[in-house]
Amino acid sequence: MIAVAARLFGRRRFEEVSMEEIAEAAGVTKPMLYSYFGSKEGLFGAVAELAGSQLRERLREVAALGDLPPDQRLWRGLLVVFTFVEEHRDAWAILYPYGGSMGGPMADAAGRGQMAMAELLGELLAETAADEGVSPEAARESAALAHALTAATIASASWWLRHPDEPKELQALRIMNLTWMGFGNLLEGRFWLPSD
């Protein structure tokens, strides 16, 4: 039921998909859908939660690869995100339409997914900064930067949904170059500051 709902919600807007259509496509009755999920919003939330938890688990696996240099872990994490988008286009479209949450029943699941990605990235950046001997005060900047990088990755992946002719590796490479080249200086304790 959740897989069928994910496919239908991913192709059309929430308002355009009916419970009757989902039940018919899933081979169940409409009362059964309501029995399991309570409402269309409840089913929509279950779809989003499942998609988000799958992505978070994959990212945790990459974050645990402590034997790899930080840039390689970030690269692999970005590939995980874009591979997830490639494999679950419908789920991504549900979680992050046009690069952000659509609100309503989706906002909580999308927010949890974004927060989990940012936390994993923040840990990686803070660990790298500490390994480079950056002061704890400067290393604290990694949390805000991790949220910015997460938002950029989500926006890029959502853009890619509308430009599927490009390979996932190119999307990951763009984000890697956008961020890592700048993070490289920051993680070594070198900051840009305005001259006036």
Side-chain angles (χ1 to χ4, degrees), residues 23-53:
E24 184 178 321
V28 299
T29 65
K30 193 163 90 170
M32 180 179 278
L33 277 181
Y34 281 103
S35 174
Y36 276 96
F37 303 102
S39 65
K40 186 166 82 166
E41 289 80 5
L43 176 55
F44 197 69
V47 168
E49 188 59 43
L50 178 62
S53 67

Side-chain angles (χ1 to χ4, degrees), residues 40-95:
K40 186 166 82 166
E41 289 80 5
L43 176 55
F44 197 69
V47 168
E49 188 59 43
L50 178 62
S53 67
Q54 290 171 344
L55 178 57
R56 288 190 299 273
E57 183 56 37
R58 288 184 187 183
L59 288 171
R60 279 190 197 95
E61 291 170 8
V62 171
L65 297 173
D67 56 331
L68 289 177
D71 62 329
Q72 291 302 310
R73 280 190 281 165
L74 177 58
W75 169 248
R76 288 188 185 197
L78 290 170
L79 286 177
V80 162
V81 171
F82 288 103
T83 298
F84 181 87
V85 174
E86 183 177 63
E87 294 172 355
H88 304 281
R89 298 178 83 73
D90 296 341
W92 190 270
I94 290 170
L95 278 171

Side-chain angles (χ1 to χ4, degrees), residues 78-136:
L78 290 170
L79 286 177
V80 162
V81 171
F82 288 103
T83 298
F84 181 87
V85 174
E86 183 177 63
E87 294 172 355
H88 304 281
R89 298 178 83 73
D90 296 341
W92 190 270
I94 290 170
L95 278 171
Y96 304 107
Y98 307 107
S101 172
M102 68 171 32
M106 281 301 308
D108 288 343
R112 281 191 299 276
Q114 187 166 350
M115 185 64 71
M117 283 189 275
E119 286 173 0
L120 289 169
L121 183 57
E123 290 171 18
L124 173 64
L125 294 176
E127 177 184 312
T128 302
D131 288 348
E132 292 291 328
V134 173
S135 71

